[in-house]
Amino acid sequence: MFCTKLSVVPNASPLVAVVCALSFVVAGCSSTPAPDKTATWSPNKIYAEAKDEASSGAYDKAIPLYEKLEGRAAGTPLAQQAQLDKAYAQYKAGEQAQAVATLNRFMKLHPASPAMDYALYLKGLVNFNDNLGIFGFVSRQDLSERDQNAAKESFESFKELVTRFPDSRYAPDSRLRMSYIVNSLAQSEVHVARYYYSRGAYVAAINRAQSAIADYRDVPALEEATYILYKSYDALGMTELRDDTRRIIEKSYPQSQYLSKGFKSADNPWYKFW
């Protein structure tokens, strides 16, 4: 390995001379790139190695191998598969933005790919963030308490999948996740309404609860939205609207526990079914 020729600083102490010498060694030698161990590998071998790394959870090692494969096998089905596998590895590695960018590039370059349904499904998963809510009971926070942009983008990906590929193997799960997201978005409105109610801002609570009821249909969050209306009308002394709303609760939610037990506690969120 070639290294820059060393020189000694005049009148320097032995320790300084050693430090300077070492810095020259590092500067001179670090510029030499490490040999590419995949240089003689076939595309199939690169793919096999990448799959092995991903299977063992070493996504940081799998991703660069998939990137090499994209270049080596450009224009082939194997390169397309490498793109999809790279996106999945990025997703599992927590690189959501990179995964979405990889999938967007795949869908732009290969609009007629037979794997388009999977690409849409994976893009939906990346934004869905299934470490929360019903899919992550260890966390006490659900999607409705977080920023909703990713949830909306996830919904659009799943919606496109079930619209374009209704018979896809990924369609049933996509429909379930769409239902969850819709309720999450509705519940987000309810969180705000409940916050206003708890602060005594009853008119604001009514407005947000009514917004949820107007914008969403047939989702569990609307039960609490209606209860917030009932409680807010009661707090404002609007007895006629209060009584009308109570009748709606009793008719629409005959098994509702809100009227007898009040708001659910943080230990019993809307998404917990067990």
Side-chain angles (χ1 to χ4, degrees):
M1 180 182 294
F2 174 77
C3 295
T4 304
K5 184 178 180 181
L6 303 180
S7 60
V8 179
V9 180
N11 302 320
S13 67
L15 178 59
V16 172
V18 170
V19 172
C20 292
L22 288 175
S23 66
F24 278 119
V25 170
V26 172
C29 299
S30 62
S31 61
T32 303
D36 182 2
K37 66 177 183 179
T38 70
T40 59
W41 291 4
S42 68
N44 285 335
K45 179 173 174 57
I46 296 176
Y47 184 67
E49 289 291 325
K51 292 289 287 183
D52 285 345
E53 296 288 7
S55 296
S56 66
Y59 300 109
D60 58 324
K61 296 180 180 179
I63 291 169
L65 288 173
Y66 287 129
E67 290 173 342
K68 287 182 181 296
L69 185 56
E70 284 185 70
R72 299 272 183 91
T76 68
L78 190 58
Q80 294 185 34
Q81 186 64 51
Q83 275 187 289
L84 292 174
D85 288 349
K86 182 179 76 170
Y88 180 78
Q90 290 169 326
Y91 161 56
K92 296 298 287 184
E95 301 175 0
Q96 285 86 355
Q98 294 90 326
V100 170
T102 298
L103 290 167
N104 285 339
R105 179 170 175 268
F106 174 87
M107 289 187 280
K108 182 178 180 180
L109 293 175
H110 314 291
S113 171
M116 182 59 69
D117 60 335
Y118 173 73
L120 288 167
Y121 179 70
L122 181 54
K123 185 177 178 181
L125 282 183
V126 172
N127 286 314
F128 185 81
N129 191 354
D130 60 4
N131 289 323
L132 295 173
I134 190 172
F135 301 97
F137 61 87
V138 174
S139 171
R140 309 311 300 179
Q141 186 181 40
D142 63 271
L143 284 175
S144 64
E145 296 173 298
R146 297 170 62 90
D147 178 74
Q148 297 298 302
N149 289 333
K152 292 176 181 178
E153 291 176 6
S154 178
F155 182 88
E156 290 303 318
S157 294
F158 291 136
K159 180 180 178 181
E160 183 177 354
L161 182 136
V162 301
T163 300
R164 293 178 57 186
F165 310 101
D167 298 323
S168 167
R169 59 183 292 192
Y170 307 108
D173 187 64
S174 295
R175 293 188 181 96
L176 290 175
R177 291 175 187 269
M178 287 171 66
S179 296
Y180 175 79
I181 292 169
V182 168
N183 194 70
S184 171
L185 295 173
Q187 188 69 36
S188 181
E189 291 291 314
V190 175
H191 272 301
V192 178
R194 189 194 310 136
Y195 171 83
Y196 284 138
Y197 174 81
S198 68
R199 297 301 186 275
Y202 302 119
V203 174
I206 290 170
N207 289 336
R208 293 308 287 258
Q210 288 178 334
S211 176
I213 293 170
D215 292 343
Y216 302 96
R217 294 287 184 274
D218 302 322
V219 292
L222 299 189
E223 180 183 351
E224 185 177 0
T226 308
Y227 179 70
I228 291 172
L229 283 179
Y230 165 74
K231 293 291 289 183
S232 297
Y233 288 140
D234 184 55
L236 291 171
M238 304 173 74
T239 56
E240 186 175 346
L241 288 172
R242 177 201 64 193
D243 294 343
D244 288 344
T245 305
R246 184 184 179 93
R247 283 191 288 270
I248 291 173
I249 295 174
E250 292 172 341
K251 181 178 179 179
S252 301
Y253 310 102
Q255 304 301 318
S256 178
Q257 296 185 14
Y258 280 103
L259 292 176
S260 60
K261 297 184 178 180
F263 291 104
K264 293 181 180 180
S265 69
D267 292 329
N268 188 26
W270 63 268
Y271 57 83
K272 188 170 182 179
F273 298 109
W274 51 88

